[in-house]
Amino acid sequence: MAEQQRIHPVPEPEHELPVQKPSVPLVPKGSFSSEKGDPEKQQQQQEPPFRRTIPYYPPLKPPKRRCCSCKRCLCCTCCLLFLIIIIIAALSAAFYFVFQPKIPKYSVDSMRITQFNFNNDMSLLFATFNVNITARNPNKKIGIYYESGSQLSVWYTGVQLCEGSLPRFYQGHQNTTVLSLDLSGQTQNVTGLLQALQVDQQRGSIPLNLSAKVPVKLKIGKLKLMKWNFLVKCKLDVDSLSANNAIRIRNSDCQFGFRL
């Protein structure tokens, strides 16, 4: 019998698998992977990142502009004062050029002592002076009213010897008036004064001070201004202080001032 031909199945040719290019591993090297992935990373992905909360403050209202208003008020005040000063200066300049005011002049022409003696225990000094004073008004358009309440006094080494006052009168324009005034007084505790007086009489030079405060009113045209005080201070140098004796004024210097 013919040998049976054995039929062997021919294996089908294996299909070549397509070559895949290497890709980036899903799991980094040195880490372990699971079906659900890394739990720590999943927890980090699920939890939101920590953020610092900043408190909310509502916007502040702008401050009121008090500073600007104060500066504006100060500026207006300064401008007003400056304007007032300019007006006063202009009026003063106009008054000066129109009326040309000049300072009155005073001088002590002569002095006579009718009483100058001490009491028995030399504790009191009684003095009476007669003083001739010349007052000159050089103004052409300004008159002077001499009011009551004037004060005149004679001093020696800071001690008042006598006092008196001026009479009320009106002195016209460019007028010269000679006043004969009687001043009298008494002084206590004159021991030191007597010693100083003896020394000065030996030298023949005795310093005296005559001071006067006289309230006056100026007349400009028909207008009578407010009351002023004329202040006169005269430094005198006489040769002696003795009763019923001619006194020679060696030197006389009078200074004038005024105030309201």
Side-chain angles (χ1 to χ4, degrees), residues 206-217:
I206 301 173
L208 296 177
N209 291 324
L210 186 146
S211 61
K213 179 182 177 182
V214 185
V216 301
K217 289 184 178 180

Side-chain angles (χ1 to χ4, degrees), residues 77-211:
T77 303
C78 292
C79 292
L80 180 61
L81 291 177
F82 184 70
L83 181 62
I84 292 174
I85 292 174
I86 291 178
I87 293 174
I88 293 176
L91 292 176
S92 300
F95 175 82
Y96 179 81
F97 286 111
V98 172
F99 297 99
Q100 297 180 356
K102 297 179 181 179
I103 297 176
K105 296 180 180 180
Y106 302 91
S107 62
V108 179
D109 301 327
S110 63
M111 179 181 294
R112 185 170 59 89
I113 298 178
T114 56
Q115 182 183 13
F116 196 86
N117 51 21
F118 298 88
N119 62 349
N120 294 331
D121 58 358
M122 306 296 289
S123 61
L124 288 176
L125 170 63
F126 300 93
T128 302
F129 286 37
N130 179 264
V131 183
N132 291 331
I133 298 177
T134 299
R136 297 179 178 86
N137 179 15
N139 295 282
K140 296 181 180 180
K141 300 179 180 180
I142 300 176
I144 303 174
Y145 284 96
Y146 288 84
E147 302 290 333
S148 59
S150 61
Q151 299 175 0
L152 278 79
S153 56
V154 177
W155 299 72
Y156 171 69
T157 64
V159 179
Q160 181 176 306
L161 300 179
C162 55
E163 62 181 352
S165 62
L166 269 70
R168 293 185 60 183
F169 68 98
Y170 172 73
Q171 189 175 28
H173 309 153
Q174 294 183 323
N175 177 267
T176 299
T177 303
V178 179
L179 303 171
S180 180
L181 307 173
D182 290 327
L183 312 178
S184 61
Q186 62 182 20
T187 307
Q188 299 179 352
N189 302 324
V190 294
T191 304
L193 182 145
L194 179 59
Q195 294 175 357
L197 181 59
Q198 291 175 351
V199 174
D200 290 337
Q201 281 187 339
Q202 291 178 358
R203 295 191 300 111
S205 177
I206 301 173
L208 296 177
N209 291 324
L210 186 146
S211 61

